Amino acid sequence: MKELIIIIRPEKLEDVKDVLDKVHCGGMTLSTAMGCGTQKGSSEGSVNEIKGLKTTINLLPKIKVEVVVDDKDVDTVIMNIREVCATDHVGDGKIFIRSIDDAVRIRTGERGLKAL
Ligand SMILES: Nc1ncnc2c1ncn2[C@@H]1O[C@H](COP(=O)(O)OP(=O)(O)OP(=O)(O)O)[C@@H](O)[C@H]1O
Ligand SMILES: [Mg+2]
């Protein structure tokens, strides 16, 4: 099993939900987030203000989706997320991937893939 931590532009959320639905993922967790990538949220050298604090880093609103999937679905999910989220402009987002040892469905005690 792998956990995909998918950080996207907020307007892409519905498309990303459709992608995950198509691989029959058992569930997903979503949070709103603020973030920046290599451009630090804006053009280099510009000064921004966060809660009155001057900073050269500007954090932009993003959505973070966390989903644990079967190893065999990882490449499909990545490909389909890129298909709906890539705009050819900076800030499209990122996918982080980490291994998950085990999972438990609390209601039944099922483990591993059966718990997803
Ligand atoms: N190294 C990182 N660690 C944690 N979160 C990150 C990292 N890089 C990007 N993110 C998250 O992903 C969001 C989108 O990043 P973004 O797409 O701008 O990455 P990038 O590396 O700057 O690529 P691009 O040049 O295409 O913009 C950020 O706002 C932040 O929330
Ligand atoms: Mg960027």
Side-chain angles (χ1 to χ4, degrees):
M1 291 174 290
K2 295 280 189 296
E3 180 183 22
L4 304 182
I5 301 151
I6 306 165
I7 302 167
I8 54 165
R9 298 181 195 275
E11 62 268 28
K12 295 295 185 182
L13 176 59
E14 289 308 313
D15 292 331
V16 168
K17 279 159 68 183
D18 288 345
V19 165
L20 296 178
D21 192 31
K22 283 197 183 105
V23 297
H24 305 295
C25 76
M28 69 187 79
T29 303
L30 186 146
S31 352
T32 55
M34 301 294 285
C36 69
T38 47
Q39 294 80 18
K40 306 294 178 219
S42 62
S43 59
E44 210 168 280
S46 67
V47 176
N48 303 284
E49 206 168 312
I50 301 167
K51 290 186 177 167
L53 190 71
K54 295 277 184 202
T55 168
T56 51
I57 293 179
N58 187 29
L59 299 173
L60 300 170
K62 299 286 169 183
I63 297 275
K64 182 169 77 169
V65 180
E66 288 155 291
V67 61
V68 178
V69 298
D70 191 332
D71 287 339
K72 72 176 172 50
D73 293 326
V74 169
D75 288 342
T76 309
V77 172
I78 291 171
M79 194 180 69
N80 292 347
I81 297 274
R82 287 205 61 234
E83 205 164 290
V84 297
C85 290
T87 67
D88 209 23
H89 293 101
V90 297
D92 279 344
K94 229 163 246 193
I95 304 174
F96 297 103
I97 302 154
R98 65 178 158 213
S99 295
I100 294 292
D101 291 336
D102 204 356
V104 181
R105 175 171 283 113
I106 291 175
R107 176 174 57 87
T108 59
E110 290 163 290
R111 302 291 288 258
L113 286 176
K114 285 192 215 129
L116 296 188

